[in-house]
Amino acid sequence: MVQHHRALGLAPLSTAASSVAGSAIDIARRSPVQPVTLIRPHAAARAARFFSEKFPGRSMYAVKANPSPDLLQVLWDNGITHYDVASIAEVRLVSRTLPDATLCFMHPVKAEEAIAEAYFTHGVRVFSLDSIEELEKVERATRHAADLTLCVRLRVSSEHSKLSLASKFGAMPHETKELLFRARQTADALGICFHVGSQAMTPDAYAQAMERVRAAIVEAAVTVDVIDVGGGFPSTYPGMEPPPLERYFETIHRAFESLPISYSAELWAEPGRALCAEYSSVVVRVEKRRGAELYINDGAYGALFDAAHIGWRFPVTLLREPESEVRDHPFSFYGPTCDDMDHMAGPFLLPADVVAGDYIEIGMLGAYGSAMRTGFNGFGSDETVVVEDEPMASLYVELETRVASNVVKL
Ligand SMILES: *Cc1c(COP(=O)(O)O)cnc(C)c1O
């Protein structure tokens, strides 16, 4: 049996999905006319447990990766107590959904009204900033509160990541001394944060960023209470298979331990993608085939923004019974809108005999996929189904198998 509930954007409240059985192929059997989002709470739960048990510090979920209230509840139930929010709407959403959660307002450029509402109405005490102007905004908006944790965001390289976050935010090396010094005077606790870019393909990205942190601390000669290594923890996609997450954790822990900070300093991280990439996928129908181009019913304005605009390759599977035995062939996709930009180059590998009417599951869309849907041109769908089968790829299942086989060898 499969249960439906409305798709969850920022506005609606959680609809508390009850437990249901089903798998991707069950959905295809029902021949849905619209794309269907498949939700896998067990996969997000596994990722949350992994971070809360293995990351050598505190993991806070970066809500922008997927703000679904159902997902927030799953993460909370599996040990994620802190949430990185970037807008007042995210602050309101998380306070409403998880009233006991701790919120950290980690966007370095905020509206003063948003800071004031976050502080006075929602109890937010942690704010990030990357300029003196922003520091002054936080001071004014909180009426010079004495209980703030202020995280100074440093600009670091995104060279090891698939998606840069290096040009927009972060204090430059020549600015950090004054900023850290000034923030230290206002802050009850002073933090340093950075973001190495999303989908960081090697732990070295963090090691290098931590060297910037070290230089900034030494130069400013301030006491630092929090080191926040940001997001960037990878998931796994075709052609982007990262090393195991434990390697990232080890590298970060080693670098943290060697920083000139007090021994009571805390280590934080803000994983977005790594906590929710496996949480959802989408089942689409092929409406037309033109050579190696498939016209499908979801696209750039739906869950496939990254596939269209940055050429991200998501895993795909043909949902046909009996399974096709024809060899795989590279395909590209067109989405349903009338816009030429609604094109996903792929290549997506599918059996060469795909035809109109076939269903395809596109996997690993839990992060920056479902969150980006629009209703442009009258397309898009809010049908969501909870399924219990495994995601098309996982960083955590392999780990479990590896651990299990180590145990057997012992
Ligand atoms: C986007 C973002 C994150 C999450 O990044 P991922 O690459 O999804 O882990 C964390 N922190 C900040 C400040 C961000 O902007």
Side-chain angles (χ1 to χ4, degrees):
M1 196 198 77
V2 238
Q3 175 157 342
H4 304 262
H5 58 96
R6 310 281 296 179
L8 305 155
L10 262 184
L13 275 171
S14 170
T15 47
S18 50
S19 110
V20 281
S23 65
I25 192 75
D26 296 332
I27 310 308
R29 276 187 204 128
R30 293 169 25 215
S31 307
V33 178
Q34 301 285 341
V36 179
T37 300
L38 309 190
I39 298 294
R40 294 182 172 89
H42 66 285
R46 186 164 56 203
R49 284 196 302 272
F50 185 85
F51 266 86
S52 49
E53 287 163 16
K54 303 229 162 112
F55 181 74
R58 170 171 291 149
S59 301
M60 48 179 158
Y61 173 56
V63 173
K64 78 164 186 279
N66 186 332
S68 150
D70 287 344
L71 170 63
L72 296 176
Q73 189 65 53
V74 169
L75 297 177
W76 172 265
D77 291 342
N78 288 278
I80 303 293
T81 54
H82 287 57
Y83 293 79
D84 160 6
V85 284
S87 61
I88 195 63
E90 287 183 357
V91 170
R92 292 174 191 152
L93 169 80
V94 182
S95 342
R96 184 166 75 222
T97 312
L98 305 173
D100 297 325
T102 303
L103 305 188
C104 304
F105 208 155
M106 303 308 279
H107 192 306
V109 183
K110 296 169 285 299
E112 219 163 300
E113 295 85 345
I115 300 168
E117 182 183 328
Y119 182 85
F120 289 106
T121 309
H122 303 287
V124 178
R125 294 295 177 265
V126 184
F127 296 88
S128 88
L129 54 98
D130 66 359
S131 65
I132 300 283
E133 293 96 296
E134 188 74 8
L135 174 60
E136 289 170 351
K137 259 197 240 170
V138 173
E139 289 169 346
R140 275 194 306 272
T142 62
R143 298 198 207 110
H144 299 270
D147 57 354
L148 299 174
T149 294
L150 297 181
C151 293
V152 171
R153 168 107 168 235
L154 304 188
R155 185 184 299 207
V156 300
S157 162
S158 271
E159 63 182 306
H160 297 296
S161 302
K162 293 292 177 184
L163 229 139
S164 173
L165 276 86
S167 39
K168 196 165 174 184
F169 300 130
M172 300 292 282
H174 69 272
E175 301 166 317
T176 56
K177 182 177 178 183
E178 187 196 356
L179 191 52
L180 282 169
F181 188 75
R182 283 282 315 281
R184 178 72 274 178
Q185 293 171 318
T186 297
D188 176 38
L190 177 65
I192 295 185
C193 62
F194 57 80
H195 197 302
V196 297
S198 205
Q199 186 74 6
M201 293 303 292
T202 159
D204 296 346
Y206 295 89
Q208 285 174 18
M210 290 293 239
E211 285 312 307
R212 282 277 301 110
V213 171
R214 172 194 305 283
I217 296 173
V218 168
E219 192 199 14
V222 289
T223 305
V224 173
D225 309 295
V226 172
I227 301 293
D228 175 356
V229 300
F233 297 94
S235 185
T236 177
Y237 305 89
M240 289 188 264
E241 287 91 2
L245 284 173
E246 285 106 324
R247 295 246 324 267
Y248 291 74
F249 295 177
E250 283 156 18
T251 300
I252 289 167
H253 191 234
R254 212 176 312 123
F256 173 72
E257 291 282 301
S258 75
L259 287 177
I261 45 180
S262 82
Y263 83 102
S264 60
E266 292 182 19
L267 175 64
W268 298 359
E270 304 165 357
R273 178 186 303 282
L275 284 177
C276 62
E278 300 175 18
Y279 177 64
S280 74
S281 62
V282 63
V283 171
V284 300
R285 185 163 74 178
V286 179
E287 303 294 6
K288 170 185 169 172
R289 173 170 176 176
R290 184 175 78 181
E293 297 166 324
L294 302 180
Y295 293 64
I296 59 175
N297 60 355
D298 200 14
Y301 300 90
L304 298 174
F305 183 98
D306 282 352
H309 297 289
I310 49 176
W312 209 271
R313 288 177 58 209
F314 294 96
V316 291
T317 280
L318 182 61
L319 300 172
R320 190 198 284 167
E321 290 173 308
E323 266 178 47
S324 170
E325 294 189 344
V326 178
R327 262 198 296 149
D328 279 351
H329 188 86
F331 288 92
S332 65
F333 295 157
Y334 274 112
T337 70
C338 304
D339 188 334
D340 266 4
M341 279 193 339
D342 196 355
H343 177 250
M344 285 67 60
F348 301 101
L349 296 181
L350 288 161
D353 64 348
V354 182
V355 289
D358 272 328
Y359 286 89
I360 297 168
E361 180 180 12
I362 306 175
M364 312 301 280
L365 287 169
Y368 309 111
S370 332
M372 320 268 279
R373 285 187 171 286
T374 75
F376 176 56
N377 216 174
F379 294 100
S381 155
D382 53 13
E383 192 184 355
T384 300
V385 177
V386 175
V387 291
E388 291 178 341
D389 56 353
E390 285 298 347
M392 289 171 60
S394 178
L395 277 188
Y396 306 100
V397 170
E398 277 171 39
L399 277 170
E400 282 178 0
T401 327
R402 239 187 8 247
V403 172
S405 59
N406 286 347
V407 171
V408 171
K409 267 184 238 144
L410 288 174

